[in-house]
Amino acid sequence: MELAYYSDYAVRLVNTEEPARNKDSLTTVESVRALFGANAQAARRAADADVTRFRSVRGRLRAVFEAADGGDETLAVDLLNSLLLEFPVSPQISGHDTRDEDGKPDWHMHLADHPSNATAGFAAIAAMGLAFHLTSHGVDRLGLCEAAPCRNAYLDTSTNRSRRYCSDRCATRANVAAYRARKRLETERPGDTRRTADTAQPSSARTDR
């Protein structure tokens, strides 16, 4: 499994909460287990106490995205380093799959965690994956959706560093809102001009008298 894959763990966890909408989908053990995706073995370690622990890690990961989105690279790195220190992993070479008829392994890097609980395991691979993305592509590739009130986290993988929204849906919603705002301004401008002319007319009349 490529290390870049693990960065999505951080995004999935952060986006279980929408603070501006007062929504939180991380409320049960089942919701915790769902975050592990296909990693059923790791998901089975989840217990009731992991709900609270996951929320704590989620807040710390969101803080990394907020710092990066705000342009504070040093703070983003410091926050991520604190997670890496608290939740370490061991990189290992793995060869789960095969690539030819002879069964030659397809060697790749794998992150082996040694958790005391499900939260520690998830946090370890999420932090390492995010760190790999940050150091490979830059801190400015960590963003928060600009379509208010969304603010979901995303990883910018565009070729020209142009991503601003977490999804096509949010991009469309933001574009529609901007279009409507422009139309309102265009509608208001002629009225403002008439009001200015009306206001100026009595003044001119008084001057003539």
Side-chain angles (χ1 to χ4, degrees):
M1 185 180 294
E2 296 181 0
L3 295 182
Y5 168 84
Y6 291 111
S7 59
D8 188 55
Y9 275 58
V11 173
R12 292 208 305 267
L13 177 53
V14 170
N15 291 346
T16 59
E17 181 183 31
E18 297 180 73
R21 293 189 174 112
N22 198 28
K23 291 183 178 180
D24 189 347
S25 62
L26 192 60
T27 57
T28 64
V29 177
E30 287 71 25
S31 61
V32 167
R33 289 172 179 159
L35 289 169
F36 285 92
N39 194 344
Q41 182 176 355
R44 282 194 291 270
R45 292 197 296 257
D48 289 338
D50 285 299
V51 176
T52 300
R53 288 193 288 251
F54 260 69
R55 286 179 171 179
S56 176
V57 172
R58 179 181 63 188
R60 295 170 66 182
L61 286 170
R62 175 171 282 278
V64 175
F65 278 92
E66 289 174 342
D69 189 66
D72 195 336
E73 296 192 7
T74 301
L75 177 59
V77 170
D78 287 345
L79 292 170
L80 191 50
N81 272 335
S82 69
L83 283 164
L84 292 169
L85 287 171
E86 186 174 345
F87 304 105
V89 295
S90 301
Q92 295 179 349
I93 300 173
S94 180
H96 298 305
D97 304 317
T98 58
R99 67 169 111 171
D100 56 31
E101 295 179 355
D102 297 328
K104 184 179 178 181
D106 181 13
W107 299 114
H108 58 276
M109 291 301 297
H110 178 79
L111 297 182
D113 58 281
H114 309 285
S116 56
N117 53 65
T119 304
F122 191 97
I125 56 181
M128 189 64 189
L130 197 57
F132 177 80
H133 189 93
L134 184 152
T135 54
S136 297
H137 306 292
V139 178
D140 58 341
R141 293 290 188 146
L142 278 60
L144 293 173
C145 186
E146 293 185 13
C150 177
R151 304 301 284 168
N152 271 351
Y154 66 83
L155 299 172
D156 186 358
T157 56
S158 63
T159 56
N160 58 354
R161 299 173 184 265
S162 61
R163 186 170 179 180
R164 298 166 56 199
Y165 307 104
C166 68
S167 64
D168 290 340
R169 179 182 179 182
C170 276
T172 300
R173 183 159 54 85
N175 289 334
V176 169
Y179 172 78
R180 289 174 177 171
R182 288 195 301 270
K183 283 298 183 182
R184 282 195 299 271
L185 285 175
E186 291 171 3
T187 302
E188 292 169 359
R189 280 170 187 162
D192 291 342
T193 302
R194 285 195 297 271
R195 284 194 296 272
T196 301
D198 292 342
T199 303
Q201 194 169 9
S203 176
S204 299
R206 285 193 299 271
T207 303
D208 291 340
R209 286 197 298 269

